[in-house]
Amino acid sequence: MPLQELYKLRPHESLMQNSLWHHDYHPELPDLEPRSTLTIGSFTGPGIIRTIHLTLNITGDDREELLRGVFLAVTYDRNPFPSVYAPVGDFFCDSFAGESLCFASAVMAKRPTNSLFCYLPMPFQQEIIVQLLNRTDKKVTGYGYVTAERLPAWEAANAYLHAQWRAATVRLPQETIPLLHTEGRGHFLGCHLTATSACPYFAENQGICEGNVEFFIDGSAQPVCNYLGTEDFFGFSWNWRKLWYDDRAGTTYLRDEGGVTKLACYRFLLDDPVRFATSLRARINYEYELQNLPLQQAKSAGNGVVQFGMVTYWYQASACDARAGEVVH
């Protein structure tokens, strides 16, 4: 709720569900067993989820496996598919075994200790189900809650939140990085990105920062919105040089060790989402930066390999399947 509207009373019904923590008022709450699915929030509509909080009691060597191996899935209105589908860590903008910076943006936060929050509104017309999918052989404990409001009516302008996970190993500068391809009406909200490379020419993210972030709107042949530099799209300039966060952009992990470069960053377009009426295709394209020396060297040596992990966030008028594919409908 905007600060300037905190004083307004509304005909909404407050709702909440707890999960995982069975050492208190709810001894019946189960752990997340290996290779299982656990519902952590389920509400009938019309309504809107306001907050998802999660802290997983994982330490040491298990952290990297579980933050990528446990998925958050959100299903709207009894659809047979999830419209939010991403690893827990990446969805909440946490990365690299939970070693990324604690931060607080307007819509996501990571607070000490391992305390993850999502404040992105999730409207639903009939029903919403929020689940954790454990794709590992380890049991997960912790605590979580979901808060929501039941709305007096569904408004035609409401759109469904989507989040999609993609992992891509690409060779720069020859290959592009797909971010999203969706059909329908909506607006692109943001992205969390991780990058890992052992290419010596990409030390300190040289070269990696040179891609253009392109948005092809409603079938356009050329990008309508085109950010001339990957770090520029993510809210920074002249590469990612230091850890930083604010409401809209953050660099939460920077490390060069043992010949491996690692980066994590997020960007939320809260003031200028990319709006589309029929379709959107977004990608990171390096073909116009061939004069860049690190990219030239990597291309000549044939070793410009980068492993990217991305969660894209967008709102769309109709709920669609967010499991990674060429096009989502």
Side-chain angles (χ1 to χ4, degrees), residues 173 210 212 214 222-223 226 228 283 285-292 295:
E210 300 296 344
N212 293 350
E214 302 173 335
Q222 301 298 323
N226 192 355
L228 305 183
R283 68 182 186 180
N285 181 10
Y286 288 81
E287 69 174 303
Y288 299 104
E289 285 288 349
L290 297 184
Q291 300 305 311
N292 176 265
L295 290 175

Side-chain angles (χ1 to χ4, degrees), residues 1 9 15 34-35 38 50 63 74 80 99 106 116-117 150 153-154 160 175 226 236 254 261 265 281 293-294 310:
M1 181 184 300
L9 301 181
L15 307 167
R35 304 289 172 182
L38 177 66
R50 294 297 187 186
R63 289 196 59 78
V74 178
E99 295 183 5
L116 305 175
F117 288 85
R150 187 165 288 118
W154 178 258
Y160 295 91
E175 298 177 326
N226 192 355
F236 299 89
L254 287 173
T261 293
C265 54
R281 182 165 60 93
L293 182 58
M310 299 147 288

Side-chain angles (χ1 to χ4, degrees), residues 11-320:
H12 298 175
E13 178 186 353
S14 295
L15 307 167
M16 179 181 181
Q17 290 183 11
N18 290 284
S19 61
L20 291 170
W21 188 253
H22 47 74
H23 306 289
D24 201 321
Y25 189 82
H26 292 286
E28 75 281 3
L29 294 177
D31 295 325
L32 179 59
E33 298 294 337
R35 304 289 172 182
S36 69
T37 298
L38 177 66
T39 297
I40 62 172
S42 178
F43 306 97
T44 57
I48 184 169
I49 283 183
R50 294 297 187 186
T51 301
I52 299 178
H53 165 58
L54 196 62
T55 178
L56 301 183
N57 186 23
I58 51 180
T59 58
D61 295 338
D62 291 342
R63 289 196 59 78
E64 185 165 9
E65 178 185 5
L66 291 174
L67 285 175
R68 279 264 166 100
V70 176
F71 272 58
L72 180 73
V74 178
T75 303
Y76 299 111
D77 299 344
R78 305 181 183 93
N79 285 317
F81 51 77
S83 295
V84 171
Y85 191 76
V88 163
D90 295 88
F91 174 83
F92 287 97
C93 301
D94 193 12
S95 55
F96 294 112
E99 295 183 5
S100 59
L101 183 72
C102 287
F103 71 95
S105 76
V107 294
M108 294 284 185
K110 175 190 175 184
R111 301 187 179 100
T113 300
N114 305 323
S115 188
L116 305 175
F117 288 85
C118 171
Y119 304 111
L120 286 168
M122 300 184 188
F124 54 97
Q125 187 169 9
Q126 301 172 30
E127 182 184 56
I128 192 168
I129 299 176
V130 184
Q131 295 177 308
L132 296 178
L133 283 61
N134 187 354
R135 297 163 41 160
T136 78
D137 295 320
K138 296 181 172 66
K139 182 168 76 171
V140 179
T141 62
Y143 175 55
Y145 63 74
V146 180
T147 66
E149 291 179 335
R150 187 165 288 118
L151 303 176
W154 178 258
E155 298 181 11
N158 289 349
Y160 295 91
L161 176 71
H162 292 72
Q164 182 182 76
W165 160 252
R166 284 179 181 266
T169 299
V170 301
R171 193 177 299 273
L172 302 183
Q174 300 95 311
E175 298 177 326
T176 60
I177 304 159
L179 291 178
L180 178 65
H181 190 182
T182 186
E183 294 180 350
R185 181 185 176 213
H187 55 252
F188 183 94
L189 184 66
C191 180
H192 174 258
L193 178 142
T194 64
T196 303
S197 180
C199 175
Y201 307 112
F202 294 162
E204 297 181 345
N205 299 299
Q206 296 295 323
I208 296 174
C209 67
E210 300 296 344
N212 293 350
V213 182
E214 302 173 335
F215 294 89
F216 298 81
I217 299 174
D218 299 339
S220 63
Q222 301 298 323
V224 177
C225 298
N226 192 355
Y227 292 83
L228 305 183
T230 316
E231 87 280 34
D232 294 279
F233 169 77
F234 282 95
F236 299 89
S237 299
W238 310 111
N239 205 337
W240 295 274
R241 295 184 179 272
K242 62 185 294 185
L243 298 177
W244 169 268
Y245 69 87
D246 59 32
D247 278 353
R248 289 156 175 77
T251 301
T252 57
Y253 194 90
L254 287 173
R255 187 164 297 178
D256 276 75
E257 286 184 352
V260 177
T261 293
K262 294 182 178 181
L263 158 75
C265 54
Y266 68 82
R267 172 72 189 278
F268 292 105
L269 304 173
L270 303 183
D271 307 294
D272 51 352
V274 179
R275 303 187 188 277
F276 53 96
T278 60
S279 67
L280 179 70
R281 182 165 60 93
R283 68 182 186 180
I284 305 176
N285 181 10
Y286 288 81
E287 69 174 303
Y288 299 104
E289 285 288 349
L290 297 184
Q291 300 305 311
N292 176 265
L293 182 58
L295 290 175
Q296 283 184 331
Q297 293 171 319
K299 184 177 181 180
S300 297
N303 67 346
V305 175
V306 183
Q307 295 173 314
F308 287 97
M310 299 147 288
V311 176
T312 51
Y313 310 85
W314 77 100
Y315 282 94
Q316 195 156 323
S318 58
C320 58

